[in-house]
Amino acid sequence: MELAEHEANLLRQASAAALRAYCPYSGFAVGAAAATELGVFVGANVENASFGLTLCAERVALANAITAGAIKISLLAVAGPPDQPTGLRSPCGACRQVMVELMTPDAVLIQDNNERLPVAGLLPGAFRRPAAAAVEGI
Ligand code: THU
């Protein structure tokens, strides 16, 4: 499917961010770009010798947006570096959980095979912050 110009641009920014991935263990670079009311924030995967500490590109981009003060994160593009095969990168389950919480209800994921997917459908049954009343037992 054809992407809108701003969506294609976001994908290019994600792809450029993938060039800054730190992935000496997997060699699998991922870039992400989040569109917000404050502009675009990017991220790349950052691995660690203690493998479980690896940060995914998606969560790095979302954390960058949140810490800059963004509250409306409406699009997230995910891509590999330019000139690499497309269609191989898709947010993991942990990233989907974080996307559902931090992005707007109508948010869209843009993948580098030009697919647009509603974030609301990415994780059926996602855990949600319990209402205060439920936590306090009132
Ligand atoms: N990775 C991401 O950055 N995002 C995903 O959603 C899936 C996986 C990274 C983690 C690791 O550095 C590399 O890709 C291989 O799994």
Side-chain angles (χ1 to χ4, degrees):
M1 199 184 50
E2 189 87 346
L3 293 180
E5 188 53 35
H6 70 284
E7 294 171 333
N9 271 336
L10 200 64
L11 211 40
R12 280 191 281 274
Q13 286 171 276
S15 189
L19 294 171
R20 299 194 288 277
Y22 174 74
C23 53
Y25 303 100
S26 73
F28 191 75
V30 185
T36 79
E37 83 281 18
L38 298 181
V40 171
F41 298 89
V42 299
N45 51 328
V46 181
E47 298 184 344
N48 191 271
S50 178
F51 297 158
L53 300 183
T54 290
L55 305 171
C56 289
E58 294 89 332
R59 278 178 282 160
V60 172
L62 292 174
N64 274 338
I66 291 289
T67 53
I71 53 170
K72 285 187 184 154
I73 310 176
S74 51
L75 290 172
L76 185 70
V78 180
D83 307 325
Q84 282 204 11
T86 57
L88 298 177
R89 287 155 180 87
S90 177
C92 73
C95 288
R96 289 170 190 233
Q97 172 73 34
V98 173
M99 289 165 70
V100 165
E101 176 151 342
L102 296 183
M103 299 183 74
T104 55
D106 61 347
V108 170
L109 165 71
I110 300 165
Q111 303 197 125
D112 65 2
N113 56 0
N114 289 354
E115 241 192 311
R116 308 169 85 263
L117 297 173
V119 169
L122 289 182
L123 188 63
F127 178 69
R128 303 277 183 170
R129 179 171 51 169
V135 173
E136 289 155 19
I138 51 174

